Amino acid sequence: MLTDHGERLGTLKKLAQIQHELVEDKAGAIDTYRQILTIDQNDELAVSALVNLYTERQNWYELLEMLQIQRDFADDVDALNRVDFRMAQIYLEQLEQPIETLEILRSITSRSPRWEPALVTLESLLDQDSVREEVFTLLEQLY
């Protein structure tokens, strides 16, 4: 029996790596990485691995959950923008939710008004009836 969290975490990390990389048991690896997060919710390795696994499996809502956690690891504005932008792309391209996409892009441009990927995506949202007016107003303010 493992006596402390450090030993348990070490064992779980080894198990997850074996499941993921050697035996290609993606579902098992996901479960194991999730167990790691129940012990240490700030384990960047587990979050990063889950981001990759959920991307591969196209589990969009679970991926968004991990990206939300990954936001806390961002050490500068550009890193935060990149994570937020990835979330916006998922909402737009995979889940077809332009309103959520707009809210994230609004957050990015409030921090970085000239951040090119956000501006380009905002311009593409002009084709979406449900957000066209809000996007136009936001772009007017930014330009």
Side-chain angles (χ1 to χ4, degrees):
M1 180 106 193
L2 299 177
T3 57
D4 71 2
H5 289 303
E7 282 182 54
R8 182 165 162 74
L9 278 173
T11 301
L12 286 172
K13 286 179 183 182
K14 288 177 189 171
L15 175 61
Q17 187 176 13
I18 290 168
Q19 289 170 314
H20 186 191
E21 297 172 8
L22 297 179
V23 297
E24 296 188 20
D25 177 9
K26 310 259 189 235
I30 287 171
D31 288 342
T32 304
Y33 283 121
R34 283 283 199 185
Q35 286 181 41
I36 292 168
L37 290 179
T38 63
I39 297 168
D40 180 4
Q41 62 197 20
N42 295 315
D43 190 298
E44 290 187 54
L45 174 76
V47 172
S48 180
L50 286 167
V51 164
N52 292 333
L53 285 162
Y54 289 143
T55 300
E56 286 176 28
R57 296 174 65 103
Q58 300 181 357
N59 294 6
W60 306 122
Y61 290 104
E62 291 85 353
L63 175 56
L64 287 167
E65 177 189 355
M66 289 301 108
L67 290 171
Q68 189 66 42
I69 294 169
Q70 212 170 45
R71 291 179 90 249
D72 296 336
F73 304 143
D75 55 1
D76 62 29
V77 170
D78 197 52
L80 182 58
N81 287 347
R82 287 192 306 273
V83 174
D84 279 356
F85 186 70
R86 183 150 183 220
M87 292 172 66
Q89 288 177 304
I90 293 165
Y91 276 116
L92 182 62
E93 297 167 8
Q94 308 304 326
L95 302 176
E96 298 178 358
Q97 296 182 14
I99 294 170
E100 286 78 3
T101 303
L102 174 59
E103 291 311 311
I104 294 171
L105 295 174
R106 186 187 319 272
S107 177
I108 293 170
T109 57
S110 72
R111 286 188 300 268
S112 304
R114 307 301 307 157
W115 205 68
E116 189 68 23
L119 295 175
V120 170
T121 304
L122 278 169
E123 290 172 3
S124 76
L125 283 176
L126 287 170
D127 295 334
Q128 301 278 337
D129 291 337
S130 61
V131 294
R132 182 176 295 125
E133 282 186 43
E134 286 184 77
V135 170
F136 185 77
T137 301
L138 180 57
L139 285 171
E140 270 187 327
Q141 294 167 1
L142 294 170
Y143 292 133

